[in-house]
Amino acid sequence: MRRKDREVTDIEIVKEIVENAKVCHVAVKDGEVPYIVPLSYGYQFDREKIILYFHSAKVGKKIDLFHQENKVCFEISNWREPQYNGEECIIDYGYSSVIGYGSVIFIEEIQEKRSALSCINVHQTKRSVNVKDIQLRALCIYKIESDLFFAKST
């Protein structure tokens, strides 16, 4: 990281950044170019590892790409109010971000799917939901586990 003064190494602050955001951008290789998609997510921390949970339909471009290449990069960020100089010119935005690398792992077991979907719902809505097994079977639920991530804040 070029700006060491902005690097966040305290895992509790990293957790705050992840908690305060709602969208995770996930990038995967699509032939010779990257493909990036914004996704709502849930999360857990396991010591120094981030586990991000996602859900979607079982078919589609991102799912096809994740099956072809499960190595991904992700980005989570929060933006604050712009900072102005004395002439009403925006000179900077305050922000916090986490960028990491990991692998997509598809979740098939019903109880793990239920737990992952609950994690997503609690993070996104602060509410838990009851989901029937038949509904869980219809969803594609997957996770990214990452122990290689970097955080930054201004």
Side-chain angles (χ1 to χ4, degrees), residues 46-59:
D46 181 8
R47 294 190 185 103
E48 300 288 316
K49 183 192 309 185
I50 300 175
I51 304 168
L52 300 169
Y53 296 100
F54 309 92
H55 72 89
S56 66
K58 288 187 170 186
V59 295

Side-chain angles (χ1 to χ4, degrees), residues 71-89:
K71 302 286 187 234
V72 296
C73 179
F74 65 88
E75 183 272 348
I76 296 169
S77 57
N78 299 299
W79 294 90
R80 294 185 291 280
E81 293 297 315
Q83 299 168 4
Y84 296 91
N85 68 11
E87 300 171 3
E88 298 293 321
C89 178

Side-chain angles (χ1 to χ4, degrees), residues 1-2 7 36 51 62 92 94 99 113 125 134 141 148:
M1 183 173 300
R2 183 180 66 83
E7 183 177 23
I36 190 164
I51 304 168
K62 71 178 170 289
D92 203 359
I99 295 175
K113 278 186 157 187
T125 69
I134 193 166
I141 300 180
L148 179 59

